Each structure stands twice: as C-alpha cells, then as structure tokens.
Amino acid sequence: MAPRHFLDIIDIDAASLRAILDHAHAMKRDVRAAGPRGRIMSAAEGMALVMIFEKPSTRTRISFDIAMRQLGGWALVLNSSELQLGRGESIEDTARVLSRYGDAVMLRVDTHASLVEFAAHASVPVINGLSNLSHPCQIMADLMTLEEAKGPLGDQRVAWIGDGNNVAVSWIHAALRFGFPLRLACPPELSPDPALLEQVQGEGGDVILLTDPVEAVAGADCVVTDTWVSMGDEDAERRMTLLAPYQVDEALMARAGEGAIFMHCLPAYRGREVTAGVIDGKQSVVFEEAENRLHAQKAILAWCLEIEDC
Ligand code: CP
Ligand code: NVA
C-alpha cells in the first residue's frame, strides 16, 4: 500500500483533513487533562521519525521531536549538510535508505521538487516541514487556532496580508479543502502563482487576490501575515520597498471584522510586517498558534503512521 505522505493540503481529501484537525483538538484536550506526567502515549512505540533540515527551524524541529515522543516514538533531527546528500548522494538513494531505518521522514527543503522526488522513492510517509512553495503543517496548526478562537471554519473569513509566499500558498490550499473564504492582499510583484489561483477558483474555492489591504481585511475574522523576507529570498531590499504598504498595524486591524484575531507563523519582525502593538496586543493569538504546531503535528504523524485511532 502507498505510504500516506503529507506534502500539501491540496493533495489530501477534505474528510481526512477534517479528521486530522478533530484528532488534534482531542489530543490537545487529553494532554491538558493528563498533565505533564500523563502525556506519553504508546501508539507509536518503537517507531522513529527522521527529520532533515536544509534551512533553520525553531518551532518545526522542536514541536515534531516532542510530538513524536509524546506519541510514544522517537525522533532523529539532522542537518542536510551532515549527510552524504550534502556531498552529492542522490535524493533517490537517500530516500530508499532512510525508508529502511525510519517509519516516517520529515523534510524542510530549499526546493519543493526535492521533497516530491524524495516522496516518490520513499516507502514510508514523507512530511513537508516547509519548502519554498508551501508550509502545510503550519496551516493545520493555524486552522486549529482559528477554530479554537472563532468556531467552525466554514464561517470564518481569513485575510492574508503581504508576501504571496509559501505560507500564503498553504492558506490557499486550505481555503479550498476546508471551504472558507480567503482574501489576499499582495503587491502584484509578490503575488501567489496565478495558475494556482485559477485552479482553486475553478474548483469552487472562494479565494480572491487583491492589492489593497483595507479591502482584504473588510469583515475578516482573522488577519494573517508573515515575514517579508523568507529563508532563501535574496532580494530583501526590494521586498521591503514593495511590502512597506502592507504592514499589519492597529489602523488596519481596526478595519477588520469585530473581534478579529491576528495570526503569524513566527518568526516575526516587529516594525516590519507587523507592529509590536498588534502582535503583542489583545487580538494576537500567535503563541497559541505556536503551541498548536505540537498538537496538529501529533495528529498529522498519527495519520501518516496510520495509528490515528490513538
Ligand atoms: N513557523 C515555523 O515553521 O517556524 P520555524 O521556522 O521556527 O520552524
Ligand atoms: N515564509 C517563511 C516562513 C518561516 C516559518 C520562510 O519561508 O522563511
């Protein structure tokens, strides 16, 4: 049977995604009720997650490591430069070898195509821990956070402000699969791929690309932004200039819907994409969002490892 890869939200059917989110909510409740000494399950006993990072990470590496341990398994965290991959061993051979050792592999890659190639040759599940094109695990945690704060997803209007980057792409995938309205305000030079927008709109997704942040946040239940310079971007100065009108500040939040929340995947750069007043203010849920990486990833791991009844 083919392994259950978690490469992109758009690749997975809506029922499975809903089940993963429900499981994440349930496991969060269970962990809270159990307290620190009751967190460890036995569902993944004897199983190992191998993680390979081509770029830095705080949240993803630590939350996946702890998630795997809380499921009863364990994790190995490696930098790609420590592997023979860094000296030219092929992705195909690496995927075949790691499939003989681990029960799942999580990759953070510079180039999305490497992830797809790895998954094509792996006989165990492969998880996208961020690529240049998408960041699906982040958005599962974000959706969980949005539901906790505001209720069922279908009723929520989300506004993405700023760079049409990897995180924005996973929001677009999620809007289609979970059926909520998404408005994006991006400078035309930094817009998400028009072919993706066309595909999602063609499949019935309520996703609209705008350029005006005020128009995008009108009636929004959730306002989201991200860094203006992602890992691997080499045109920082150009980006700062293009994105200057897209800062999420108090005035923009005041134009969003009543009781709107603010989200950011972190790391954040106060005074650039968001003011300190917003990210450290009452509407911000960024630390709940960061915590939910742990719970959402436990549910993603459980689904990939086919132990989702735990
Ligand atoms: N949000 C996120 O993925 O953070 P890290 O880069 O620290 O993993
Ligand atoms: N868009 C950012 C997200 C970091 C978690 C990046 O790719 O660097």
Side-chain angles (χ1 to χ4, degrees), residues 4 6 63 70 85 93 100 103 111 119 126 129 131 144 153 185 191-193 198-199 219 231 247-248 260 268 297 301:
R4 283 183 180 174
F6 193 85
S63 57
Q70 289 191 359
L85 255 182
D93 286 357
R100 302 290 181 113
D103 298 281
T111 311
V126 176
S131 76
M144 196 183 160
L153 280 180
S191 290
D193 180 6
E198 205 175 306
Q199 179 197 341
M231 294 177 277
Q247 184 184 67
V248 177
Q297 280 153 200
L301 284 166

Side-chain angles (χ1 to χ4, degrees), residues 56-61 108 129-130 135 138 231 265-267 293:
S57 168
T58 297
R59 280 144 289 269
T60 305
R61 64 186 299 163
R108 170 167 284 196
L130 182 146
H135 197 5
Q138 177 69 52
M231 294 177 277
C265 65
L266 306 178
R293 294 294 302 277

Side-chain angles (χ1 to χ4, degrees), residues 196-208:
L196 171 65
L197 288 168
E198 205 175 306
Q199 179 197 341
V200 165
Q201 287 160 350
E203 289 181 36
D206 184 3
V207 176
I208 298 177

Side-chain angles (χ1 to χ4, degrees), residues 57-77:
S57 168
T58 297
R59 280 144 289 269
T60 305
R61 64 186 299 163
I62 296 169
S63 57
F64 259 112
D65 191 346
I66 292 177
M68 194 61 189
R69 290 169 199 239
Q70 289 191 359
L71 286 170
W74 57 282
L76 197 64
V77 188

Side-chain angles (χ1 to χ4, degrees), residues 5 31 36-37 79 84 101 108 132 209 212 220 235 237 256-257 291:
H5 299 311
V31 160
R37 288 177 185 278
N79 189 309
Q84 296 287 8
Y101 300 145
R108 170 167 284 196
N132 58 324
L209 176 63
D212 179 5
D235 51 349
E237 214 167 300
E291 177 187 331

